[in-house]
Amino acid sequence: MGKKKDKPIDLHNLTPEEQLKLEIAQEIGVFDKVLACGWRSLSAKESGKIGGLMTKRRKELDKEARKGTEEI
């Protein structure tokens, strides 16, 4: 596997996507597990849930952004 997955999570230097991913992990109750053992510790079901919710949120944010530009 790549080295990116092996490095610890730096909570002070997150990309917007990483921040969203961690927010969703916190919402579904796996945040502490991720911090303690990394993303690899999640089950396929947990990872899939996070990915699905990220996709849903991105679509909502894109829709809101497009709606905001249409009103101008």
Side-chain angles (χ1 to χ4, degrees):
M1 284 283 139
K3 291 183 180 183
K4 181 179 179 185
K5 293 187 180 196
D6 294 335
K7 72 178 185 177
I9 298 169
D10 179 11
L11 295 176
H12 302 291
N13 191 17
L14 297 172
T15 65
E17 187 166 324
E18 290 171 329
Q19 188 174 4
L20 176 62
K21 192 175 181 181
L22 284 170
E23 286 174 13
I24 292 171
Q26 191 168 21
E27 289 173 15
I28 66 170
V30 297
F31 183 76
D32 292 332
K33 186 177 179 181
V34 169
L35 287 182
C37 303
W39 293 107
R40 298 177 98 188
S41 65
L42 299 181
S43 69
K45 184 176 181 178
E46 292 166 335
S47 295
K49 182 136 181 122
I50 290 172
L53 290 171
M54 285 180 68
T55 300
K56 183 178 177 181
R57 282 256 175 96
R58 272 193 235 117
K59 285 182 181 179
E60 290 171 355
L61 291 172
D62 289 345
K63 186 176 180 181
E64 288 177 15
R66 278 187 263 122
K67 184 178 179 182
T69 58
E70 290 173 359
E71 292 177 357
I72 294 176

